[in-house]
Amino acid sequence: MQNSFPESFSFHRDDFPADFVFGAATSAYQIEGRQFGGAGSCHWDTFAATPGNVPRGDDGARACDHYHRYAEDLDLVAAAGLDAYRFSASWARVMPRGTGEVNVEGVDFYDRLVDAICERGLQPFLTLYHWELPSPLADRGGWCNADIAAWFADYADVLLARIGDRLHAVAPINEPWCVAWLSHFLGLHAPGLRDIRAATRALHHVLLGHARVLEVVRARGAGAAGAVFNFEYAAPADGSDASARAARFYDGVYNRWFLEAVCHGAYPADVLELLEPHLPDGWQDDLATIAAPLDWIGINYYTRKLIAAAPGRALPAVAETVGDLPQTSMGWEIYPAGLGEFLRRVAAASGGKLPIYVTENGMAGADEVVAGAIDDRARIAYLDAHVAEARRALADGVPLKGYFVWSLLDNYEWACGYDKRFGLVHVDFDSLERRPKRSWYALRDALRPTA
Ligand code: GCO
Protein backbone atom coordinates (compact mmCIF):
# COMPACT_ATOMS: atom_id res chain seq x y z
CA MET A 1 0.00 0.00 0.00
CA GLN A 2 2.88 2.37 0.83
CA ASN A 3 4.05 1.86 -2.76
CA SER A 4 1.32 4.11 -4.09
CA PHE A 5 2.83 7.07 -2.19
CA PRO A 6 5.84 9.26 -3.03
CA GLU A 7 9.28 8.46 -1.64
CA SER A 8 10.30 12.04 -1.24
CA PHE A 9 8.88 15.48 -0.58
CA SER A 10 7.93 17.72 -3.47
CA PHE A 11 9.28 20.83 -1.69
CA HIS A 12 12.73 22.00 -0.76
CA ARG A 13 13.58 24.51 1.94
CA ASP A 14 14.67 26.94 -0.79
CA ASP A 15 11.00 27.22 -1.77
CA PHE A 16 10.47 29.07 1.52
CA PRO A 17 11.75 32.40 2.83
CA ALA A 18 15.29 32.14 4.21
CA ASP A 19 14.10 32.68 7.79
CA PHE A 20 11.27 30.12 7.58
CA VAL A 21 11.53 27.68 10.49
CA PHE A 22 11.10 23.94 10.14
CA GLY A 23 10.74 22.04 13.38
CA ALA A 24 9.49 19.00 15.19
CA ALA A 25 7.27 18.94 18.27
CA THR A 26 6.87 16.74 21.35
CA SER A 27 5.37 17.07 24.81
CA ALA A 28 6.65 16.18 28.27
CA TYR A 29 4.19 13.55 29.47
CA GLN A 30 4.18 11.85 26.08
CA ILE A 31 7.93 11.22 26.00
CA GLU A 32 9.85 11.98 29.21
CA GLY A 33 8.86 9.20 31.60
CA ARG A 34 6.99 10.65 34.58
CA GLN A 35 8.51 8.22 37.07
CA PHE A 36 12.01 9.64 36.65
CA GLY A 37 13.60 12.62 38.36
CA GLY A 38 11.25 13.28 41.26
CA ALA A 39 8.17 14.46 39.34
CA GLY A 40 4.87 14.45 41.21
CA SER A 41 1.83 12.55 40.05
CA CYS A 42 -0.56 14.19 37.62
CA HIS A 43 -4.15 13.70 36.54
CA TRP A 44 -3.08 11.68 33.49
CA ASP A 45 -1.58 9.03 35.80
CA THR A 46 -4.92 8.49 37.51
CA PHE A 47 -7.04 8.91 34.39
CA ALA A 48 -4.96 6.16 32.77
CA ALA A 49 -5.24 4.00 35.88
CA THR A 50 -9.03 4.14 35.69
CA PRO A 51 -10.30 1.11 33.76
CA GLY A 52 -11.84 1.93 30.41
CA ASN A 53 -10.03 5.20 29.71
CA VAL A 54 -6.84 4.07 27.96
CA PRO A 55 -6.04 0.71 26.31
CA ARG A 56 -4.30 -1.58 28.80
CA GLY A 57 -4.13 1.34 31.23
CA ASP A 58 -1.04 2.61 29.38
CA ASP A 59 0.39 5.70 31.02
CA GLY A 60 3.38 7.99 30.72
CA ALA A 61 5.39 6.46 33.58
CA ARG A 62 8.23 5.44 31.26
CA ALA A 63 7.07 6.66 27.84
CA CYS A 64 10.17 7.09 25.62
CA ASP A 65 12.47 7.69 28.60
CA HIS A 66 13.42 10.96 26.99
CA TYR A 67 14.38 12.08 30.50
CA HIS A 68 17.56 10.04 30.13
CA ARG A 69 17.81 9.93 26.33
CA TYR A 70 17.20 13.56 25.43
CA ALA A 71 20.66 14.02 23.92
CA GLU A 72 20.11 11.20 21.45
CA ASP A 73 16.66 12.59 20.62
CA LEU A 74 17.95 16.10 20.02
CA ASP A 75 20.69 14.68 17.81
CA LEU A 76 17.89 13.29 15.64
CA VAL A 77 16.24 16.72 15.42
CA ALA A 78 19.51 18.34 14.42
CA ALA A 79 20.54 15.58 12.00
CA ALA A 80 17.25 15.93 10.14
CA GLY A 81 18.30 19.50 9.36
CA LEU A 82 15.48 21.02 11.40
CA ASP A 83 15.78 24.55 12.76
CA ALA A 84 13.63 24.39 15.87
CA TYR A 85 12.38 22.07 18.56
CA ARG A 86 8.99 22.55 20.22
CA PHE A 87 8.70 20.80 23.58
CA SER A 88 6.82 21.19 26.83
CA ALA A 89 7.70 21.22 30.49
CA SER A 90 5.85 19.19 33.09
CA TRP A 91 4.37 21.28 35.89
CA ALA A 92 4.47 18.24 38.21
CA ARG A 93 8.18 17.79 37.47
CA VAL A 94 8.91 21.39 38.41
CA MET A 95 6.49 21.54 41.36
CA PRO A 96 5.42 18.04 42.43
CA ARG A 97 2.47 19.37 44.45
CA GLY A 98 1.56 22.01 41.90
CA THR A 99 2.34 24.88 44.24
CA GLY A 100 5.04 25.58 46.78
CA GLU A 101 8.04 23.32 46.91
CA VAL A 102 10.21 23.14 43.81
CA ASN A 103 11.81 19.91 42.61
CA VAL A 104 15.33 21.10 41.92
CA GLU A 105 16.10 17.95 39.92
CA GLY A 106 13.21 18.83 37.60
CA VAL A 107 14.31 22.40 37.00
CA ASP A 108 17.87 21.16 36.47
CA PHE A 109 16.57 18.78 33.82
CA TYR A 110 14.94 21.58 31.82
CA ASP A 111 18.06 23.67 32.20
CA ARG A 112 20.18 20.86 30.70
CA LEU A 113 17.57 20.25 28.02
CA VAL A 114 17.48 23.87 26.87
CA ASP A 115 21.28 24.01 26.82
CA ALA A 116 21.33 20.84 24.72
CA ILE A 117 18.78 22.33 22.30
CA CYS A 118 20.82 25.51 21.92
CA GLU A 119 24.12 23.64 21.60
CA ARG A 120 22.71 21.95 18.52
CA GLY A 121 21.80 25.28 16.97
CA LEU A 122 18.07 24.66 17.41
CA GLN A 123 15.56 27.32 18.46
CA PRO A 124 13.74 26.26 21.66
CA PHE A 125 9.92 26.72 21.52
CA LEU A 126 8.57 25.97 25.00
CA THR A 127 5.00 25.11 25.98
CA LEU A 128 4.36 25.47 29.71
CA TYR A 129 1.25 23.29 29.93
CA HIS A 130 0.70 20.29 27.71
CA TRP A 131 -1.91 18.62 29.88
CA GLU A 132 -0.25 17.02 32.91
CA LEU A 133 -1.96 18.82 35.79
CA PRO A 134 -0.37 18.01 39.18
CA SER A 135 -2.76 15.74 41.14
CA PRO A 136 -3.01 18.01 44.22
CA LEU A 137 -4.36 20.76 41.93
CA ALA A 138 -6.79 18.35 40.31
CA ASP A 139 -8.01 17.64 43.87
CA ARG A 140 -8.76 21.35 44.19
CA GLY A 141 -10.86 21.42 41.04
CA GLY A 142 -8.10 21.97 38.50
CA TRP A 143 -9.24 24.12 35.59
CA CYS A 144 -12.68 24.57 37.16
CA ASN A 145 -11.11 26.59 39.97
CA ALA A 146 -10.36 30.25 39.17
CA ASP A 147 -7.26 30.08 41.38
CA ILE A 148 -5.56 28.00 38.73
CA ALA A 149 -4.50 31.14 36.89
CA ALA A 150 -2.38 32.19 39.86
CA TRP A 151 -1.02 28.68 40.49
CA PHE A 152 -0.07 28.42 36.82
CA ALA A 153 1.65 31.81 36.89
CA ASP A 154 3.73 30.79 39.94
CA TYR A 155 4.93 27.63 38.25
CA ALA A 156 5.71 29.50 35.03
CA ASP A 157 7.70 32.08 36.95
CA VAL A 158 9.82 29.47 38.73
CA LEU A 159 10.69 27.70 35.51
CA LEU A 160 11.23 30.79 33.37
CA ALA A 161 13.46 32.36 36.03
CA ARG A 162 15.83 29.50 35.31
CA ILE A 163 15.51 28.87 31.55
CA GLY A 164 13.73 31.94 30.15
CA ASP A 165 16.97 33.59 29.03
CA ARG A 166 17.53 30.99 26.27
CA LEU A 167 14.06 30.50 24.85
CA HIS A 168 13.06 31.56 21.37
CA ALA A 169 9.32 31.41 21.94
CA VAL A 170 6.90 30.41 24.69
CA ALA A 171 3.25 29.37 24.59
CA PRO A 172 1.52 29.05 27.95
CA ILE A 173 -0.97 26.32 26.98
CA ASN A 174 -1.15 23.71 24.27
CA GLU A 175 -4.62 23.43 22.75
CA PRO A 176 -6.99 25.10 25.22
CA TRP A 177 -9.94 23.34 23.56
CA CYS A 178 -8.53 19.96 24.63
CA VAL A 179 -7.82 21.22 28.14
CA ALA A 180 -11.39 22.46 28.53
CA TRP A 181 -13.90 20.79 26.22
CA LEU A 182 -12.33 17.44 25.35
CA SER A 183 -11.46 16.87 29.01
CA HIS A 184 -14.48 18.33 30.86
CA PHE A 185 -17.37 18.00 28.40
CA LEU A 186 -16.51 15.05 26.16
CA GLY A 187 -14.68 13.32 29.00
CA LEU A 188 -12.12 11.76 26.67
CA HIS A 189 -9.02 13.20 28.32
CA ALA A 190 -8.09 13.73 31.97
CA PRO A 191 -9.87 14.50 34.22
CA GLY A 192 -12.57 12.73 32.19
CA LEU A 193 -15.52 14.86 33.25
CA ARG A 194 -18.79 15.15 31.31
CA ASP A 195 -20.28 18.28 32.77
CA ILE A 196 -21.33 21.47 31.03
CA ARG A 197 -20.65 23.72 34.01
CA ALA A 198 -17.17 22.30 34.56
CA ALA A 199 -16.42 22.53 30.84
CA THR A 200 -17.58 26.14 30.58
CA ARG A 201 -15.57 27.22 33.61
CA ALA A 202 -12.55 25.46 32.18
CA LEU A 203 -13.13 27.24 28.83
CA HIS A 204 -12.81 30.54 30.65
CA HIS A 205 -10.06 29.69 33.16
CA VAL A 206 -7.84 28.18 30.51
CA LEU A 207 -7.86 31.55 28.74
CA LEU A 208 -7.35 33.43 31.99
CA GLY A 209 -4.42 31.15 32.83
CA HIS A 210 -3.02 31.75 29.36
CA ALA A 211 -3.21 35.52 29.90
CA ARG A 212 -1.64 35.50 33.38
CA VAL A 213 1.25 33.41 32.17
CA LEU A 214 1.70 35.66 29.15
CA GLU A 215 2.41 38.44 31.67
CA VAL A 216 5.02 36.24 33.35
CA VAL A 217 6.68 35.44 30.03
CA ARG A 218 6.92 39.15 29.26
CA ALA A 219 8.13 40.08 32.74
CA ARG A 220 10.86 37.46 32.45
CA GLY A 221 11.75 38.50 28.89
CA ALA A 222 11.49 34.84 27.96
CA GLY A 223 11.27 34.94 24.17
CA ALA A 224 8.27 35.65 21.97
CA ALA A 225 4.98 35.14 23.82
CA GLY A 226 2.33 33.28 21.85
CA ALA A 227 -0.63 30.95 21.97
CA VAL A 228 -1.17 27.53 20.42
CA PHE A 229 -4.65 26.43 19.38
CA ASN A 230 -5.85 23.27 17.71
CA PHE A 231 -8.32 24.16 15.04
CA GLU A 232 -10.56 21.66 13.34
CA TYR A 233 -12.42 22.27 10.13
CA ALA A 234 -16.14 21.64 10.66
CA ALA A 235 -18.59 21.22 7.81
CA PRO A 236 -22.27 20.22 8.00
CA ALA A 237 -22.76 16.52 7.28
CA ASP A 238 -25.77 17.23 5.06
CA GLY A 239 -27.91 20.07 3.75
CA SER A 240 -30.31 20.29 6.70
CA ASP A 241 -30.68 23.39 8.86
CA ALA A 242 -30.14 21.25 11.94
CA SER A 243 -26.73 20.06 10.70
CA ALA A 244 -25.78 23.62 9.71
CA ARG A 245 -26.60 24.78 13.27
CA ALA A 246 -24.69 21.89 14.80
CA ALA A 247 -21.63 22.53 12.61
CA ARG A 248 -21.74 26.20 13.52
CA PHE A 249 -21.79 25.36 17.22
CA TYR A 250 -18.92 22.89 16.76
CA ASP A 251 -16.87 25.54 14.97
CA GLY A 252 -17.91 28.02 17.65
CA VAL A 253 -16.79 26.10 20.69
CA TYR A 254 -13.76 24.53 18.98
CA ASN A 255 -12.34 27.42 17.01
CA ARG A 256 -14.11 30.78 17.37
CA TRP A 257 -14.29 30.73 21.19
CA PHE A 258 -10.51 31.01 21.43
CA LEU A 259 -9.73 33.04 18.36
CA GLU A 260 -12.30 35.71 19.11
CA ALA A 261 -11.31 35.85 22.77
CA VAL A 262 -7.60 36.42 22.18
CA CYS A 263 -7.97 38.54 19.04
CA HIS A 264 -11.06 40.60 19.91
CA GLY A 265 -11.66 40.22 23.65
CA ALA A 266 -15.11 38.70 23.15
CA TYR A 267 -16.76 35.31 23.14
CA PRO A 268 -18.83 34.44 20.07
CA ALA A 269 -22.46 35.44 20.72
CA ASP A 270 -24.00 32.21 19.45
CA VAL A 271 -21.88 30.04 21.77
CA LEU A 272 -22.25 32.43 24.67
CA GLU A 273 -26.02 32.19 24.42
CA LEU A 274 -25.73 28.52 25.39
CA LEU A 275 -22.83 28.62 27.81
CA GLU A 276 -23.25 31.91 29.64
CA PRO A 277 -25.30 30.47 32.53
CA HIS A 278 -22.31 28.31 33.41
CA LEU A 279 -19.55 30.93 33.25
CA PRO A 280 -18.00 32.11 36.51
CA ASP A 281 -19.26 35.42 37.95
CA GLY A 282 -17.43 38.44 36.63
CA TRP A 283 -16.15 36.67 33.53
CA GLN A 284 -16.61 39.82 31.46
CA ASP A 285 -13.98 41.60 33.57
CA ASP A 286 -11.31 39.11 32.44
CA LEU A 287 -11.77 39.59 28.70
CA ALA A 288 -9.48 42.59 28.37
CA THR A 289 -6.72 40.60 30.10
CA ILE A 290 -7.39 37.59 27.88
CA ALA A 291 -7.04 39.75 24.76
CA ALA A 292 -3.57 41.03 25.71
CA PRO A 293 -1.42 41.33 22.57
CA LEU A 294 0.38 38.23 21.34
CA ASP A 295 3.71 37.98 19.53
CA TRP A 296 2.59 34.96 17.51
CA ILE A 297 -0.15 32.37 17.10
CA GLY A 298 0.42 28.66 16.56
CA ILE A 299 -2.04 26.42 14.76
CA ASN A 300 -2.19 22.68 15.37
CA TYR A 301 -4.08 21.12 12.50
CA TYR A 302 -4.93 17.50 11.74
CA THR A 303 -8.33 16.89 10.20
CA ARG A 304 -11.87 17.96 9.40
CA LYS A 305 -15.15 16.77 10.88
CA LEU A 306 -18.54 16.43 9.27
CA ILE A 307 -21.11 17.46 11.81
CA ALA A 308 -24.74 16.45 12.10
CA ALA A 309 -27.30 17.32 14.74
CA ALA A 310 -27.90 14.74 17.44
CA PRO A 311 -31.42 15.37 18.67
CA GLY A 312 -32.65 15.12 22.20
CA ARG A 313 -30.09 16.97 24.29
CA ALA A 314 -30.20 20.48 25.60
CA LEU A 315 -27.22 21.91 23.73
CA PRO A 316 -27.14 21.80 19.98
CA ALA A 317 -25.98 18.25 20.39
CA VAL A 318 -23.45 17.40 17.75
CA ALA A 319 -22.73 14.07 16.15
CA GLU A 320 -19.41 13.64 14.39
CA THR A 321 -19.73 11.66 11.19
CA VAL A 322 -16.92 10.46 8.97
CA GLY A 323 -16.80 11.39 5.30
CA ASP A 324 -15.25 9.46 2.46
CA LEU A 325 -11.76 10.94 2.36
CA PRO A 326 -8.76 8.71 3.12
CA GLN A 327 -8.11 8.39 6.86
CA THR A 328 -5.10 8.11 9.13
CA SER A 329 -4.81 5.38 11.78
CA MET A 330 -6.66 7.69 14.17
CA GLY A 331 -9.67 7.42 11.86
CA TRP A 332 -9.15 11.10 11.00
CA GLU A 333 -9.92 12.18 7.46
CA ILE A 334 -7.05 13.72 5.55
CA TYR A 335 -8.14 17.19 4.50
CA PRO A 336 -5.15 19.47 3.78
CA ALA A 337 -7.34 22.31 2.47
CA GLY A 338 -8.53 22.85 6.05
CA LEU A 339 -5.02 23.96 7.02
CA GLY A 340 -5.04 26.62 4.31
CA GLU A 341 -8.46 27.74 5.48
CA PHE A 342 -7.27 28.22 9.07
CA LEU A 343 -4.06 29.96 8.07
CA ARG A 344 -6.15 32.53 6.19
CA ARG A 345 -8.74 32.75 8.94
CA VAL A 346 -6.20 33.30 11.70
CA ALA A 347 -4.33 35.86 9.58
CA ALA A 348 -7.59 37.74 9.01
CA ALA A 349 -8.62 37.56 12.69
CA SER A 350 -5.23 38.71 13.93
CA GLY A 351 -4.85 41.66 11.59
CA GLY A 352 -2.69 40.14 8.87
CA LYS A 353 0.69 40.97 10.39
CA LEU A 354 1.01 38.72 13.44
CA PRO A 355 3.49 35.88 12.86
CA ILE A 356 1.76 32.52 12.51
CA TYR A 357 3.29 29.08 12.88
CA VAL A 358 1.92 25.67 12.13
CA THR A 359 2.94 24.29 15.52
CA GLU A 360 1.65 20.74 14.88
CA ASN A 361 0.72 18.72 11.85
CA GLY A 362 1.17 15.04 11.28
CA MET A 363 -0.46 11.65 11.16
CA ALA A 364 -0.58 8.31 12.89
CA GLY A 365 0.22 5.39 10.63
CA ALA A 366 0.55 1.64 10.83
CA ASP A 367 4.33 1.94 10.92
CA GLU A 368 6.05 -1.41 11.13
CA VAL A 369 9.71 -2.30 11.15
CA VAL A 370 10.34 -4.54 8.14
CA ALA A 371 13.89 -5.71 7.57
CA GLY A 372 15.14 -2.95 9.84
CA ALA A 373 13.35 -0.11 8.04
CA ILE A 374 10.06 1.72 8.38
CA ASP A 375 8.46 2.62 5.10
CA ASP A 376 5.99 5.35 6.02
CA ARG A 377 5.41 6.88 2.62
CA ALA A 378 1.82 7.60 3.60
CA ARG A 379 3.22 10.07 6.13
CA ILE A 380 5.41 11.70 3.48
CA ALA A 381 2.29 12.17 1.34
CA TYR A 382 0.31 13.58 4.27
CA LEU A 383 3.00 16.06 5.31
CA ASP A 384 3.73 17.02 1.71
CA ALA A 385 0.11 17.89 1.00
CA HIS A 386 -0.10 20.05 4.13
CA VAL A 387 3.21 21.80 3.46
CA ALA A 388 1.86 22.58 -0.02
CA GLU A 389 -1.13 24.29 1.64
CA ALA A 390 1.24 26.24 3.83
CA ARG A 391 3.13 27.41 0.74
CA ARG A 392 -0.09 28.51 -0.93
CA ALA A 393 -1.04 30.48 2.16
CA LEU A 394 2.38 32.15 2.19
CA ALA A 395 1.94 33.08 -1.46
CA ASP A 396 -1.42 34.63 -0.54
CA GLY A 397 0.34 36.83 1.99
CA VAL A 398 -0.30 34.92 5.21
CA PRO A 399 2.56 35.83 7.61
CA LEU A 400 3.48 32.19 8.14
CA LYS A 401 6.88 31.85 9.78
CA GLY A 402 7.30 28.15 10.37
CA TYR A 403 6.01 24.60 10.28
CA PHE A 404 6.46 21.89 12.94
CA VAL A 405 5.82 18.20 12.44
CA TRP A 406 3.96 16.31 15.13
CA SER A 407 5.90 14.38 16.23
CA LEU A 408 9.60 13.73 16.50
CA LEU A 409 9.06 10.34 18.14
CA ASP A 410 6.36 7.72 18.42
CA ASN A 411 5.04 8.40 21.90
CA TYR A 412 2.21 8.14 24.42
CA GLU A 413 -0.84 9.10 22.40
CA TRP A 414 -3.04 9.93 25.39
CA ALA A 415 -6.32 7.98 25.39
CA CYS A 416 -4.92 5.71 22.64
CA GLY A 417 -1.94 4.69 24.77
CA TYR A 418 1.02 3.45 22.74
CA ASP A 419 -1.13 2.17 19.89
CA LYS A 420 -0.86 5.19 17.58
CA ARG A 421 2.44 6.11 16.02
CA PHE A 422 2.92 9.76 14.97
CA GLY A 423 6.73 9.90 14.89
CA LEU A 424 9.26 10.71 12.21
CA VAL A 425 11.30 8.33 14.33
CA HIS A 426 10.08 4.89 15.34
CA VAL A 427 10.35 3.89 19.00
CA ASP A 428 10.39 0.26 20.11
CA PHE A 429 8.49 0.52 23.39
CA ASP A 430 10.23 -2.55 24.81
CA SER A 431 13.86 -1.78 24.01
CA LEU A 432 13.29 1.99 23.59
CA GLU A 433 15.44 1.86 20.47
CA ARG A 434 14.94 4.83 18.13
CA ARG A 435 14.91 4.23 14.39
CA PRO A 436 14.32 7.01 11.85
CA LYS A 437 11.48 6.26 9.44
CA ARG A 438 11.58 6.90 5.73
CA SER A 439 9.80 10.23 6.34
CA TRP A 440 12.70 11.36 8.56
CA TYR A 441 15.19 10.65 5.75
CA ALA A 442 12.97 12.31 3.17
CA LEU A 443 12.63 15.39 5.36
CA ARG A 444 16.39 15.54 5.78
CA ASP A 445 16.75 15.54 1.99
CA ALA A 446 14.15 18.29 1.59
CA LEU A 447 15.84 20.46 4.21
CA ARG A 448 19.43 19.92 3.10
CA PRO A 449 20.88 23.27 2.07
CA THR A 450 21.79 23.58 -1.59
CA ALA A 451 25.52 23.86 -2.01
C1 GCO B 1 -2.77 17.22 20.25
C2 GCO B 1 -1.52 17.25 21.05
C3 GCO B 1 -0.62 16.10 20.87
C4 GCO B 1 -1.21 14.86 20.25
C5 GCO B 1 -1.35 14.98 18.77
C6 GCO B 1 -2.01 13.79 18.13
O1 GCO B 1 -2.88 17.92 19.29
O2 GCO B 1 -3.68 16.48 20.60
O3 GCO B 1 -0.84 18.43 20.99
O4 GCO B 1 -0.24 15.86 22.18
O5 GCO B 1 -0.42 13.77 20.53
O6 GCO B 1 -2.13 16.06 18.45
O7 GCO B 1 -3.27 13.57 18.64
Side-chain angles (χ1 to χ4, degrees), residues 26-27 30 86 130-131 174-175 178 182 189 228 230 300-302 330 332 360 362 406-407 411-414 422:
T26 62
S27 91
Q30 294 180 275
R86 176 172 175 258
H130 199 130
W131 308 354
N174 179 66
E175 305 187 351
C178 291
L182 184 67
H189 275 192
V228 171
N230 54 321
N300 294 355
Y301 177 81
Y302 291 92
M330 296 293 280
W332 295 348
E360 279 179 33
W406 182 271
S407 181
N411 59 43
Y412 179 65
E413 179 51 30
W414 306 111
F422 274 88

Side-chain angles (χ1 to χ4, degrees), residues 227-402:
V228 171
F229 303 107
N230 54 321
F231 291 129
E232 199 168 271
Y233 189 86
D238 54 52
S240 67
D241 287 348
S243 292
R245 264 199 311 279
R248 181 155 171 77
F249 177 75
Y250 190 92
D251 180 67
V253 79
Y254 210 121
N255 307 314
R256 286 182 286 123
W257 182 268
F258 302 102
L259 201 52
E260 292 186 22
V262 298
C263 293
H264 307 305
Y267 289 139
D270 57 321
V271 182
L272 200 52
E273 199 181 311
L274 295 160
L275 299 186
E276 189 169 359
H278 310 296
L279 276 167
D281 291 343
W283 60 270
Q284 296 93 335
D285 303 337
D286 297 330
L287 286 173
T289 310
I290 288 171
L294 293 165
D295 298 330
W296 57 278
I297 290 188
I299 301 177
N300 294 355
Y301 177 81
Y302 291 92
T303 189
R304 75 160 182 184
K305 287 283 161 56
L306 298 181
I307 305 301
R313 298 215 314 255
L315 279 175
V318 303
E320 298 178 12
T321 67
V322 181
D324 50 13
L325 300 175
Q327 298 172 16
T328 72
S329 298
M330 296 293 280
W332 295 348
E333 280 189 295
I334 300 174
Y335 186 64
L339 176 60
E341 149 91 14
F342 279 115
L343 288 169
R344 287 180 197 87
R345 209 164 138 180
V346 171
S350 58
K353 296 263 185 303
L354 192 70
I356 298 174
Y357 292 86
V358 176
T359 31
E360 279 179 33
N361 178 235
M363 64 165 271
D367 305 333
E368 284 170 26
V369 184
V370 178
I374 303 100
D375 189 356
D376 62 336
R377 276 179 251 185
R379 178 169 290 103
I380 297 176
Y382 178 101
L383 297 174
D384 203 47
H386 288 81
V387 170
E389 281 297 332
R391 268 176 82 183
R392 268 191 281 280
L394 257 175
D396 290 351
V398 171
L400 180 65
K401 303 296 178 196

Side-chain angles (χ1 to χ4, degrees), residues 47 97 102 110 178 184 225:
F47 181 78
R97 300 200 51 78
V102 173
Y110 292 117
C178 291
H184 296 80

